Amino acid sequence: MIHLFHGTNVVFDAVDPLKGRRGTDFGQGFYLTPNQESAKRMAQRVATRKGGGAVVMHYGVDESCLSNGDLSVRQFPVIDLSWLRFIVANRYNLLSAAEHNLQRRFDIVHGLVADDKVVQILDDLRNEMISEEDALARLRAAPFQTVQYSFHTERAVAYLNRLEVVNV
């Protein structure tokens, strides 16, 4: 079982991946991390921005869902050109890109977090101020602290089992 955490400002019973923000790394969905400290930081940022209390929701997921063939899963174990292009396509709504998740073609996506610290690199790439090779070199030098799992469909969300809610 994989233990995943979601930082937020409100407790909810049902996960709806369509309530997730658009323009995110792996497309609109429900994002979690195996790093509880990262989820706590996210909860505090959301609570500060939107009000409410900072909470971390703890989920268990049977990891077989990532490989049993029931779900379409896209994994990015390293920062490479396919990861970069996927992130850029999703963040900038590029339906013409070779691969994206804007239409939820993947039930679950898993990989490194392209957090706000790398937005400038992605913006420079999008505005053609740097090449993909330069962007990759800069991104590989950035301090990535965690990975994320994003659940994009009801089929994927069905594998989530909420274990507890912790006030931060």
Side-chain angles (χ1 to χ4, degrees):
M1 177 180 293
I2 302 172
H3 291 270
L4 299 174
F5 304 91
H6 177 79
T8 186
N9 65 326
V10 295
V11 176
F12 47 86
D13 291 323
V15 173
D16 182 354
L18 296 180
K19 288 188 177 180
R21 288 185 309 130
R22 295 176 187 265
T24 51
D25 294 350
F26 299 151
Q28 185 180 27
F30 184 67
Y31 283 73
L32 305 107
T33 177
N35 184 319
Q36 189 173 10
E37 289 304 313
S38 178
K40 285 180 184 178
R41 286 190 301 275
M42 176 59 77
Q44 291 164 339
R45 281 197 306 263
V46 172
T48 299
R49 193 173 65 243
K50 295 183 176 183
V55 295
V56 172
M57 300 173 77
H58 177 195
Y59 292 85
V61 180
D62 180 349
E63 62 190 301
S64 70
C65 74
L66 299 175
S67 59
N68 65 14
D70 290 344
L71 300 174
S72 175
V73 178
R74 182 67 166 99
Q75 296 188 52
F76 293 97
V78 297
I79 296 173
D80 61 11
L81 196 54
S82 64
W83 176 88
L84 175 63
R85 289 177 176 166
F86 193 80
I87 299 282
V88 168
N90 290 311
R91 282 191 172 225
Y92 298 103
N93 198 33
L94 303 177
L95 281 169
S96 61
E99 190 175 330
H100 58 77
N101 203 33
L102 297 167
Q103 297 164 322
R104 293 180 303 283
R105 67 175 80 169
F106 299 106
D107 296 297
I108 298 174
V109 182
H110 167 243
L112 290 165
V113 174
D115 65 14
D116 293 338
K117 296 174 188 162
V118 302
V119 170
Q120 187 60 54
I121 297 168
L122 298 176
D123 284 345
D124 288 350
L125 174 63
R126 176 80 171 121
N127 293 322
E128 299 179 353
M129 296 171 65
I130 60 174
S131 68
E132 286 182 328
E133 293 77 21
D134 289 337
L136 276 175
R138 292 180 187 179
L139 289 165
R140 287 179 177 140
F144 287 88
Q145 297 177 357
T146 190
V147 297
Q148 61 191 353
Y149 289 78
S150 55
F151 288 67
H152 300 275
T153 63
E154 290 298 324
R155 289 179 347 150
V157 165
Y159 283 89
L160 291 172
N161 178 29
R162 188 168 81 189
L163 302 175
E164 67 178 328
V165 176
V166 178
N167 291 316
V168 179

